Amino acid sequence: MQVTIEPGWKAILKDEFEKPYFKNLVEFVKSEYTSTKCFPPGKQIFSAFNHTPFEDVKVLILGQDPYHGPGQANGLCFSVADRVAIPPSLKNIFEEIWTDLGTPIPNSGNLERWAKQGVLLLNSTLTVRAHQAGSHHNKGWEQFTDAVIEKLSDEKNGLVFMLWGGPAKKKGAKINASKHKILESGHPSPLAANRGYWFGNKHFSKANEYLEENGKKPIEW
C-alpha cells in the first residue's frame, strides 16, 4: 500500500502498511474524510513523521486525539498553527517549561520548531471527526502507533519518551526502559494539572540532561 510519508519512516514501517488492519484503516479514513468533516487536513495526517525523520528522533511526546475544533489540528500532538489560540493543555506545557527552564512562554502554539530538533509529536490516534473526541478510536490507529513506539524502542538507543496521563502510560508498555529514558506524569490538561498531577514534573530539564549524557544536543524548548 502506498503511503506518502518520510522515506526513513516508510522503510521502517513498510511491513505495517501491508497488514490487513492498516488497509482497513485506510479505507475507513478515506470514507470518513469523504463523508464528514475530519481533522487534521488529509495532507497533515502524517505530519509528525514528515517533520521528524526516523533517523533524527531524540524525544517522543505522546498525545491522544488530534484537536477536533476547526483550524486547530496540524498533525503534531498538542500543536496548533500560528495565529490559532493556544489550547489549555499547551498553555500548561509552556508554563511548566517556563518554571523548569526559565524559557519565556511563546506567543505561538506551533511546535514545528520542536519537531525539527528531533521531537516526534505523535498522537495515539491520528485522525478525528470534527467536534467528536474519540470518534476514530479502535479503528486501527492505536495498533499502528504501538508499532511506531516499538520500532523506536527496538531500533534506536538513548531516546526520551514523555508519557503524560493514563492512556499514554499504557502505550509505553513495550518501551525498553534499560536503553531509553521514560518520563511519566499526569496529563497537562487543566483537569489533571489543577489537581497537582502535572506541574513540577521537570520533564524538559530531565530530557535535556539525559540527551546530553548520551552525547546528543539538548532541545531548545
Side-chain angles (χ1 to χ4, degrees):
M1 179 166 293
Q2 291 298 312
V3 175
T4 303
I5 195 171
E6 187 272 330
W9 281 110
K10 189 167 188 175
I12 286 289
L13 297 169
K14 64 181 187 300
D15 291 343
E16 214 63 29
F17 296 141
E18 296 302 323
K19 291 181 179 178
Y21 88 86
F22 192 85
K23 294 180 180 181
N24 292 336
L25 172 62
V26 168
E27 292 306 311
F28 167 76
V29 171
K30 284 180 178 177
S31 174
E32 286 284 282
Y33 273 71
T34 299
S35 62
T36 188
K37 185 71 174 175
C38 295
F39 300 116
K43 290 182 179 179
Q44 295 182 331
I45 291 173
F46 292 106
S47 280
F49 303 93
N50 294 329
H51 279 93
T52 311
F54 181 81
E55 65 178 20
D56 295 342
V57 176
K58 296 191 287 188
V59 178
L60 179 141
I61 296 178
L62 187 62
Q64 297 177 19
D65 278 1
Y67 295 120
H68 52 79
Q72 290 183 302
N74 64 2
L76 308 177
C77 75
F78 296 106
S79 176
V80 291
D82 293 324
R83 294 178 295 280
V84 173
I86 298 175
S89 291
L90 185 53
K91 284 184 180 178
N92 287 339
I93 291 170
F94 287 156
E95 283 192 30
E96 176 59 25
I97 293 170
W98 177 62
T99 56
D100 185 15
L101 297 170
T103 303
I105 294 175
N107 295 321
S108 171
N110 191 336
L111 302 182
E112 287 181 13
R113 59 192 176 84
W114 293 0
K116 291 174 181 176
Q117 296 178 73
V119 182
L120 182 66
L121 296 163
L122 182 68
N123 276 313
S124 297
T125 303
L126 301 191
T127 57
V128 68
R129 277 190 183 188
H131 310 297
Q132 295 184 43
S135 49
H136 287 183
H137 284 188
N138 301 317
K139 301 297 183 181
W141 281 129
E142 293 90 346
Q143 185 173 343
F144 174 71
T145 51
D146 278 349
V148 170
I149 292 167
E150 193 167 5
K151 288 287 187 183
L152 286 168
S153 178
D154 292 348
E155 303 287 337
K156 298 179 78 73
N157 291 292
L159 300 185
V160 179
F161 290 86
M162 294 185 176
L163 308 178
W164 302 334
K169 292 174 187 177
K170 287 179 182 177
K171 283 185 76 71
K174 294 184 178 179
I175 300 168
N176 185 340
S178 68
K179 55 188 285 201
H180 302 290
K181 182 76 168 178
I182 301 173
L183 297 174
E184 296 184 344
S185 81
H187 195 273
S189 66
L191 184 63
N194 294 338
R195 290 179 176 174
Y197 301 135
W198 166 255
F199 291 115
N201 64 33
K202 297 187 181 297
H203 279 189
F204 304 94
S205 60
K206 290 175 181 177
N208 279 352
E209 287 168 10
Y210 181 80
L211 291 174
E212 290 186 288
E213 288 169 3
N214 284 271
K216 298 177 183 180
K217 187 178 179 180
I219 306 299
E220 292 182 14
W221 299 106

